[in-house]
């Protein structure tokens, strides 16, 4: 791994973006096929949005908001385990609703505490069934929730949060958005039920550093692809930045949602009950507060937190899952397919609301494809 200029000579692969998409692919190409790879990133660090590090107080924080690793894929988990030890961590979230902090996803405890009831699981299922809307078609993110828990719980837990997060109503978003959040009638208060739920013990950045620690991988931070595209000789380009930007927005801009992060360090050991508290109320301008020590297990006399304020402007963090955006993306996708020597990947390159493990899986699959092509060509 080198952190200087690209030096002389030709690279087999130029990879744009040093996040999960770029680093996993670089690692595979170098370690399995002996390819010379250059990764460029316009940011001054490796890791993309999963970047973490110690802040000025010495608390480990995630610069771009909380990243919690979970997957059902043993292939993904085993792959990453080559580059990190793990800390078992099961994520729990509370949502502040009607002056109470209640388990989110909605579960048996949420219902009993919100409505002052003493339901058991069967009672909770009946309670929800009596409220659930019975519309035949479940098309939008709103329909998904209303069909499970009804209008009132939708309004309290989802309506305001979704409007803030996406800048539009849940009825204008794909069903996949709220399908990420289940409804439970038992008292399981974990946010995820995946088979593997861990945090990288020494952090994400350390994991990325180990991944690209290979003599055939060069990393150039603070380097925009636009500035080097004509000067760095390479055979293949892999692009994990925004696909519309690559094509100079020729069909118009793909909408992305951004966030403004307000980071703070407090001179107290603990700030809140769990790592993440959600604020669905439209009266509160942010969506959630994260307390990092509860994710990392770090012991420190201070604690660091982040409030997330969704915005339309800024770094492109979230592709917005909606039919008209998918249609626009398809136009870019077909242009991408007709562009020889360039492969698009990652959350921004393929305009997909992917979690980290899905991006790792996507890169491993892409590597298999490239390896197959290489063996056919040989
Ligand atoms: P990125 O991490 O976005 O990396 C792309 C890189 O490309 C960036 O570093 C960018 O600077 C660089 N780049 C773009 N264009 C150019 C250019 N022209 N020249 C040079 N460099 C360029 N996933 C989970 O599994 N669990 C979570 O808890 C979780 N929480 C999240 C919280 C937030 C606030 C956000 C925004 C995302 C979260 N995710 C989470 C999703 C996760 O961040 C992504 O799945 C993953 O980071 C995507 O990796 P990537 O490599 O595709 O993209
Ligand atoms: N959501 C909500 N209220 C919550 C949590 C989630 O309305 O308390 C909705 C919201 O639209 C959000 C989506 O469900 O964008 C998916 O939530 P998730 O926590 O999976 O989003 P992430 O932060 O991981 O992208």
């Amino acid at each position: 791994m080198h952190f200087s200029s690209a030096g002389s000579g030709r690279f087999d692969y130029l990879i744009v973006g040093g996040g999960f998409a770029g680093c996993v692919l670089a690692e595979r190409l170098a370690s399995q096929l002996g390819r010379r790879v250059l990764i460029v990133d316009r940011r001054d660090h490796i890791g993309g949005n999963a970047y973490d590090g110690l802040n000025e107080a010495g608390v480990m924080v995630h610069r771009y908001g909380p990243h919690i690793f979970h997957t059902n894929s043993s292939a993904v988990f085993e792959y990453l385990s080559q580059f990190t030890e793990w800390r078992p961590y099961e994520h729990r979230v509370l949502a502040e609703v009607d002056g109470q902090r209640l388990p989110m996803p909605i579960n048996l405890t949420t219902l009993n505490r919100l409505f002052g009831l003493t339901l058991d699981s069967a009672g909770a299922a009946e309670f929800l069934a009596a409220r659930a809307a019975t519309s035949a078609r479940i098309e939008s993110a709103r329909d998904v929730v209303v069909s499970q828990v009804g209008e009132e719980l939708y309004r309290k837990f989802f309506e305001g949060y979704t409007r803030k997060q996406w800048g539009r109503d849940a009825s204008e978003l794909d069903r996949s958005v709220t399908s990420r959040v289940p409804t439970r009638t038992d008292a399981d208060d974990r946010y995820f039920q995946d088979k593997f739920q861990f945090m990288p013990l020494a952090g994400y950045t350390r994991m990325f550093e180990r991944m690209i620690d290979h003599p055939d991988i060069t990393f150039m931070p603070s380097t925009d692809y636009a500035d080097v595209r004509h000067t760095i000789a390479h055979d293949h380009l892999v692009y994990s930045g925004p696909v519309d930007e690559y094509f100079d927005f020729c069909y118009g801009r793909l909408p992305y949602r951004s966030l403004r992060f307000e980071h703070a360090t407090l001179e107290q050991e603990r700030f809140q009950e769990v790592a993440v508290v959600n604020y669905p109320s439209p009266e509160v301008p942010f969506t959630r507060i994260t307390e990092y020590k509860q994710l990392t297990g770090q012991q420190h006399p201070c604690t660091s937190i982040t409030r997330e304020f969704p915005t339309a402007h800024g770094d492109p963090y979230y592709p917005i899952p909606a039919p008209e955006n998918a249609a626009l993306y398809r136009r870019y996708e077909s242009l991408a397919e007709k562009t020889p020597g360039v492969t698009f990947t990652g959350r921004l390159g393929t305009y997909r609301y992917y979690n980290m493990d899905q991006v790792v899986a996507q890169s491993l699959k892409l590597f298999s494809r490239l390896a197959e092509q290489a063996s056919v060509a040989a």
Side-chain angles (χ1 to χ4, degrees):
M1 162 179 57
H2 311 270
F3 289 100
S4 54
S5 72
S8 59
R10 194 176 180 85
F11 288 91
D12 297 309
Y13 286 86
L14 171 58
I15 297 184
V16 178
F20 271 101
C23 287
V24 169
L25 189 67
E27 187 283 323
R28 288 288 87 186
L29 288 168
S31 74
Q32 304 301 302
L33 294 184
R35 296 293 190 261
R36 282 194 77 213
V37 184
L38 172 66
I39 307 173
V40 297
D41 200 302
R42 52 165 65 133
R43 289 173 169 162
D44 64 0
H45 57 75
I46 198 77
N49 286 338
Y51 174 77
D52 58 11
L54 298 181
N55 64 12
E56 61 297 335
V59 180
M60 177 67 106
V61 297
H62 299 181
R63 186 181 292 180
Y64 307 100
H67 279 69
I68 296 125
F69 183 77
H70 57 101
T71 190
N72 279 317
S73 163
S74 37
V76 166
F77 184 68
E78 278 163 26
Y79 172 75
L80 292 177
S81 299
Q82 299 175 77
F83 312 105
T84 187
E85 321 285 299
W86 299 101
R87 165 180 198 261
Y89 170 74
E90 289 188 324
H91 192 44
R92 288 181 169 76
V93 173
L94 296 175
E96 194 163 286
V97 169
D98 294 350
Q100 293 196 68
R101 289 190 175 177
L102 302 166
M104 182 69 183
I106 293 170
N107 71 2
L108 177 62
T109 316
T110 314
L111 297 176
N112 281 335
R113 288 189 34 206
L114 182 64
F115 297 110
L117 302 170
T118 53
L119 300 171
D120 59 11
S121 283
E126 271 175 44
F127 181 88
L128 291 177
R131 292 165 164 249
T134 49
S135 122
R137 293 160 78 91
I138 299 177
E139 282 169 355
S140 71
R142 184 183 193 283
D143 299 338
V144 169
V145 180
V146 172
S147 70
Q148 288 175 17
V149 302
E151 293 280 348
E152 185 183 2
L153 287 163
Y154 166 75
R155 276 198 300 277
K156 287 183 191 298
F157 288 87
F158 286 89
E159 187 177 60
Y161 190 105
T162 299
R163 273 183 184 279
K164 287 190 281 188
Q165 174 69 16
W166 300 100
R168 53 168 74 194
D169 193 76
S171 58
E172 299 166 306
L173 289 163
D174 285 356
R175 48 183 291 173
S176 60
V177 173
T178 47
S179 300
R180 292 163 61 94
V181 184
T183 306
R184 304 203 183 110
T185 51
D186 61 14
D188 186 349
D189 62 349
R190 294 171 306 160
Y191 205 71
F192 308 113
Q193 290 185 322
D194 298 53
K195 195 159 143 202
F196 304 98
Q197 302 190 40
F198 293 94
M199 294 291 288
L201 191 60
Y204 290 98
T205 303
R206 185 72 197 109
M207 179 174 77
F208 284 108
E209 286 168 354
R210 286 177 62 183
M211 213 181 264
I212 63 165
D213 184 12
H214 189 285
D216 288 329
I217 300 177
T218 304
F219 175 57
M220 274 176 72
S222 308
T223 305
D224 200 303
Y225 170 65
D227 299 331
V228 295
R229 60 190 300 177
H230 301 302
T231 52
I232 291 176
H234 58 279
D235 290 340
H236 305 273
L237 177 69
V238 175
Y239 191 87
S240 71
V243 59
D244 56 336
E245 184 181 324
Y246 178 88
F247 291 111
D248 292 327
F249 311 106
C250 64
Y251 298 135
R253 284 180 185 265
L254 277 168
Y256 295 92
R257 196 70 177 151
S258 192
L259 294 169
R260 179 172 65 80
F261 299 103
E262 201 176 274
H263 302 287
T265 296
L266 311 167
E267 297 201 357
Q268 59 197 67
E269 270 210 63
R270 177 64 82 101
F271 176 72
Q272 59 192 18
E273 307 89 309
V274 288
V276 172
V277 176
N278 286 357
Y279 291 83
S281 163
E283 312 296 319
V284 179
F286 48 86
T287 48
R288 58 185 180 185
I289 302 183
T290 299
E291 183 175 19
Y292 294 103
K293 277 166 61 185
Q294 300 205 43
L295 299 176
T296 60
Q298 186 182 7
Q299 301 293 315
H300 195 288
C302 298
T303 195
S304 295
I305 59 169
T306 298
R307 292 184 174 81
E308 290 172 47
F309 297 79
T311 145
H313 310 287
D315 280 359
Y317 290 130
Y318 292 88
I320 303 179
E324 72 281 12
N325 300 344
L328 180 54
Y329 169 65
R330 276 194 295 277
R331 296 186 69 195
Y332 280 110
E333 189 184 26
S334 65
L335 196 54
E337 281 159 6
K338 289 182 223 131
T339 308
V342 189
T343 306
F344 294 84
T345 190
R347 181 148 141 146
L348 303 171
T350 58
Y351 201 68
R352 290 200 170 85
Y353 183 16
Y354 270 170
N355 291 329
M356 295 181 281
D357 65 319
Q358 294 171 298
V359 174
V360 174
Q362 185 187 34
S363 269
L364 294 176
K365 201 168 152 200
L366 172 57
F367 168 71
S368 302
R369 208 177 81 210
L370 295 173
E372 212 169 286
Q373 284 168 8
S375 77
V376 170

